[in-house]
Amino acid sequence: MTYKLEGFSLAYKQYDGSGEISCRNGEKAKVSLSSKSIGFTIGYSKIEGEGYFTDVKYLSEIYGDYISLGNHFGFKNSIDRQVLTRGEISLVLIGKGQGFDIGFTIGDLSIKPK
């Protein structure tokens, strides 16, 4: 999955964006992303990155809410890392971007079809 997220944080972090999922069998889907979390966090950033899912049988299995644990850091250039899970399906997000932010959070990420 490739994705773009943009948002702010001050003890509460909210990022929204979009992505595109590509499967090995050629299937593709555009998705909307919404992330809400709490923790030690402050800042604003725009992030672009890639996400890697564990194997799934059907594209429809990736939609839903994931529990996330993540960290982010940046002063002009931002780095964002998240590990997410939803039952048997896991997702790792690795992104870079621009902003001024620092933090460690726990929360959720919602993936919905566009």
Side-chain angles (χ1 to χ4, degrees):
M1 174 172 82
T2 57
Y3 70 92
K4 293 180 182 180
L5 287 169
E6 181 177 356
F8 68 93
S9 63
L10 180 58
Y12 171 78
K13 180 180 173 186
Q14 181 167 346
Y15 279 60
D16 296 301
S18 60
E20 183 173 23
I21 296 172
S22 301
C23 299
R24 287 185 210 139
N25 67 5
E27 282 186 284
K28 291 186 178 187
K30 293 193 182 285
V31 294
S32 9
L33 306 171
S34 179
S35 175
K36 296 177 178 112
S37 54
I38 59 171
F40 169 74
T41 179
I42 187 169
Y44 171 82
S45 60
K46 293 179 184 182
I47 302 292
E48 291 186 27
E50 294 183 354
Y52 302 94
F53 289 92
T54 54
D55 287 338
V56 295
K57 290 182 182 178
Y58 305 102
L59 186 62
S60 60
E61 292 179 309
I62 60 100
Y63 301 123
D65 296 324
Y66 291 76
I67 296 171
S68 76
L69 181 61
N71 62 34
H72 56 102
F73 175 80
F75 292 100
K76 195 172 183 182
N77 295 315
S78 284
I79 298 172
D80 187 71
R81 305 283 187 261
Q82 293 186 53
V83 177
L84 306 104
T85 188
R86 183 176 159 253
E88 295 180 10
I89 301 172
S90 295
L91 168 63
V92 174
L93 296 179
I94 302 168
K96 296 179 184 178
Q98 300 172 338
F100 296 92
D101 60 315
I102 188 168
F104 178 86
T105 60
I106 186 167
D108 77 350
L109 173 74
S110 178
I111 300 177
K112 296 180 182 176
K114 266 193 168 180

